[in-house]
Amino acid sequence: CGSGLSGDYISEEGHYWIGMDISPAMLDVAVEREVEGDLLLADVGHGIPFRPGMFDGCISISAVQWLCNADKKSHSPPKRLYRFFSTLYTALARGSRAVLQLYPENSEQLELITAQAMRAGFTGGMVVDYPNSAKAKKFFLCLFVGASGTLPKGLGTEGADEELHQAKFTNERTRFKNIKGKSVKKSRDWILEKKERRRRQGKEVRADTKYTGRKRRPRF
């Protein structure tokens, strides 16, 4: 989960989340930013330490490929990947999805990751956005628990007319650019909405005042 930037968007959509990261420094930044999700210092190569069926979904951004590295003599990339995928499969509820964005170094790494995911019980496959672009190309491992779902079409792979038939959650990636009907980030309304969500989660929040959301002068 790093510093929790993606978690902020998940919170704004009304979801609860738990983030895992191997870096204490990144989690410290997330705590300083007062993210709304719960944070856990953990190595996903050791497994997902939660009870069965606890989550409705999983999102990962540029993390899974690091499990292919052997940073210690005891590290076995195939075993670490299988441990991650098998415990993730258990922690997800039936019918849920996992979308893992990654940057594989080569085709062998990509095949290893996909094979361990399927071995753990997942169905699904790889979706590639803009496959002919060196800069915009992105890999998404889309996994399903239980009944196999329909994979979305990768962005930039078909004509404009056909792109309209892409799966809905594929197009969600563009929503940061054209959000409508939502409060502007850091505005007073946005801050009040965030504080209200934290209150519903049972967290301590400062009382609202006429100064909430006001910018301080440089000389303050």
Side-chain angles (χ1 to χ4, degrees):
C1 65
S3 60
L5 291 174
S6 299
D8 287 342
Y9 182 72
I10 296 173
S11 296
E12 290 173 8
E13 291 297 304
H15 302 294
Y16 298 99
W17 58 274
I18 298 177
M20 298 174 62
D21 204 282
I22 197 173
S23 169
M26 294 297 285
L27 293 177
D28 287 342
V29 174
V31 171
E32 292 176 2
R33 294 183 60 251
E34 297 184 347
V35 298
E36 296 178 39
D38 293 316
L39 305 171
L40 177 66
L41 176 65
D43 178 0
V44 295
H46 293 162
I48 307 297
F50 295 100
R51 64 177 183 267
M54 183 173 178
F55 296 100
D56 297 318
C58 171
I59 297 172
S60 173
I61 300 175
S62 187
V64 177
Q65 72 271 5
W66 298 111
L67 293 178
C68 296
N69 296 347
D71 299 323
K72 300 178 181 178
K73 289 184 178 180
S74 59
H75 282 181
S76 168
K79 290 182 179 179
R80 284 169 59 78
L81 282 164
Y82 179 70
R83 178 66 179 168
F84 165 66
F85 283 118
S86 60
T87 52
L88 175 62
Y89 185 89
T90 301
L92 290 171
R94 290 294 173 263
S96 58
R97 294 179 294 189
V99 180
L100 316 174
Q101 185 267 325
L102 63 153
Y103 293 103
E105 289 184 0
N106 48 51
S107 58
E108 289 78 12
Q109 221 178 63
L110 198 60
E111 184 177 351
L112 173 62
I113 293 171
T114 305
Q116 296 304 316
M118 301 308 161
R119 181 186 167 204
F122 284 106
T123 57
M126 195 68 65
V127 175
V128 183
D129 280 357
Y130 306 105
N132 300 320
S133 171
K135 293 184 178 180
K137 188 175 183 179
K138 281 188 173 62
F139 293 86
F140 296 86
L141 183 57
C142 300
L143 304 174
F144 304 96
V145 179
S148 179
T150 303
L151 285 176
K153 298 291 184 181
L155 300 180
T157 59
E158 297 177 343
D161 293 336
E162 295 177 350
E163 283 186 357
L164 298 175
H165 301 291
Q166 292 178 355
K168 180 181 178 183
F169 72 86
T170 302
N171 292 330
E172 292 291 320
R173 301 176 206 148
T174 65
R175 292 183 61 183
F176 287 101
K177 299 179 181 179
N178 57 6
I179 295 176
K180 296 181 180 180
K182 291 191 177 182
S183 302
V184 177
K185 197 165 188 178
K186 303 298 183 181
S187 67
R188 175 179 169 82
D189 290 339
W190 181 86
I191 293 173
L192 292 174
E193 290 169 4
K194 183 173 181 179
K195 291 174 72 174
E196 183 59 32
R197 286 198 302 272
R198 294 175 69 88
R199 290 192 186 98
R200 289 199 297 268
Q201 294 174 7
K203 297 181 180 181
E204 292 186 7
V205 181
R206 292 182 181 179
D208 299 334
T209 70
K210 64 179 181 179
Y211 301 107
T212 300
R214 281 193 186 180
K215 291 184 178 180
R216 292 176 176 175
R217 296 179 181 177
R219 66 183 182 185
F220 183 82

